[in-house]
Amino acid sequence: MCRNYRTLLVAVVMFVSTACAQLTQPALPPGTRLLEDLSYVPEGHPRQKLDLYLPPKPETPLPVVVWIHGGGWSSGSKDNPPAVRLTSQGYAVASINYRLTDSATFPAQIHDAKAAIRWLRAHADHYGLDPARIGVWGASAGGQLALLLGVGADVPELEGTLGEHRDQSSRVACVVDYFGTVEFRKPKEFPLNNNRIRYLGGTSEERPELAALATPLSHITPDDAPVLIVHGDADNTVTLSHSLALREGLESVGVEVKLITLPGAGHGGPAFHTPRINAQVDEFLFRHLKAPARP
């Protein structure tokens, strides 16, 4: 009897776990074509690859949304990007991996991200992409890297020398930032947790130049890409103060920025993928990547 009960309980737990996993993984829109493990650095690190999702009936050239995963720069994967739903709206979606802190510290991660953007531009004709309409969307660690792409187009130390396409620009047209870290220089106001210390390869006192280089706030200029920020006010991993400081910094130089604050939301979760939030992300991306240019 007890053995049967345990067997049933295990079966129920496995069923629920599988169901929850399926709920958290976005379904591939019907007809979407997936090209996996494209190397954006030839013969590079195994993590220097991206997946490219193409819409079922592409009207080329396609606007591109690049998804950058989170995971504290120490974990995470390009698999199952939430941005993949955008292929049903006529976008190409590129989901990138980048080197993690077990193999390289900052600025390796942003060098990888910029190499991926340059690779996409260089191969735009081959895949039917529009090199002038590339936006980026990231969450947590990916949000910080997305922000560095948005504010660091003219910072040589962020650019790196990876790949075969250094003649291409790494500039992006817009940024969607989900609760990314924006400040590494001021540990009293913005404490450094273990992931941030591993990312820098030391504390901000030990690595002041790298802390400044990793800080999106330190690179803000009037020609930066417009930014949409989504952040929960109950986030204890990356506090809302990061996004408030980012909004203030961008507004101070006239860069378009909007902050959506989610009451009661923590560091990720279903609140970030509701129809209401998706609609606001979609409207932002449409204006900056698909809307016809004004006369």
Side-chain angles (χ1 to χ4, degrees):
M1 182 72 174
C2 291
R3 182 178 299 173
N4 291 338
Y5 175 77
R6 285 197 298 270
T7 302
L8 177 61
L9 181 60
V10 169
V12 169
V13 170
M14 291 180 64
F15 173 80
V16 171
S17 299
T18 302
C20 289
Q22 291 171 345
L23 285 173
T24 59
Q25 295 178 359
L28 200 64
T32 296
R33 188 158 61 104
L34 170 58
L35 306 176
E36 295 183 274
D37 292 330
L38 303 175
S39 296
Y40 59 81
V41 176
E43 299 182 3
H45 190 276
R47 295 275 308 181
Q48 291 170 328
K49 295 180 180 180
L50 62 83
D51 292 341
L52 185 62
Y53 298 81
L54 300 173
K57 296 180 180 179
E59 296 182 8
T60 57
L62 293 164
V64 184
V65 175
V66 178
W67 169 257
I68 309 180
H69 70 79
W73 309 280
S74 62
S75 64
S77 167
K78 60 183 171 59
D79 297 342
N80 304 307
V84 73
R85 63 180 181 78
L86 296 170
T87 61
S88 64
Q89 301 176 36
Y91 294 90
V93 173
S95 182
I96 71 170
N97 272 347
Y98 50 88
R99 283 171 289 171
L100 302 175
T101 51
D102 62 352
S103 61
T105 56
F106 179 82
Q109 293 73 22
I110 187 60
H111 288 174
D112 287 355
K114 281 180 168 282
I117 300 294
R118 296 195 299 265
W119 186 93
L120 287 166
R121 281 210 164 88
H123 293 83
D125 287 345
H126 181 75
Y127 294 108
L129 312 177
D130 188 337
R133 295 187 294 167
I134 299 178
V136 62
W137 179 5
S140 192
Q144 184 262 350
L145 293 171
L147 288 169
L148 284 182
L149 287 169
V151 303
D154 301 314
V155 181
E157 296 85 354
L158 294 176
E159 198 67 34
T161 58
L162 294 172
E164 301 174 336
H165 309 292
R166 294 192 290 276
D167 58 321
Q168 298 290 332
S169 170
S170 64
R171 185 177 290 273
V172 297
C174 61
V175 175
V176 179
D177 161 40
Y178 275 20
F179 45 86
T181 299
V182 307
E183 180 60 80
F184 292 84
R185 302 166 297 179
K186 303 174 181 178
K188 290 184 179 180
E189 299 174 53
F190 302 89
L192 296 185
N193 59 20
N194 289 335
N195 281 336
R196 291 169 204 154
I197 292 171
R198 281 195 296 267
Y199 183 47
L200 294 179
T203 65
S204 54
E205 291 85 356
E206 295 167 337
R207 312 296 295 273
E209 292 184 0
L210 282 182
L213 190 63
T215 294
L217 288 178
S218 67
H219 304 297
I220 289 175
T221 55
D223 65 344
D224 290 339
V227 179
L228 174 66
I229 313 165
V230 187
H231 209 133
D233 67 3
D235 190 337
N236 294 320
T237 302
V238 179
T239 59
L240 181 60
S241 58
H242 283 262
S243 289
L244 293 171
L246 177 63
R247 180 178 65 181
E248 180 180 358
L250 292 171
E251 285 180 341
S252 71
V253 297
V255 174
E256 178 192 334
V257 58
K258 179 180 180 180
L259 170 59
I260 301 172
T261 303
L262 302 182
H267 198 65
F272 291 86
H273 304 287
T274 64
R276 181 180 72 87
I277 297 303
N278 286 346
Q280 293 184 78
V281 171
D282 294 354
E283 187 275 336
F284 175 81
L285 292 173
F286 179 85
R287 280 194 296 109
H288 294 290
L289 297 179
K290 292 190 76 174
R294 294 179 180 178

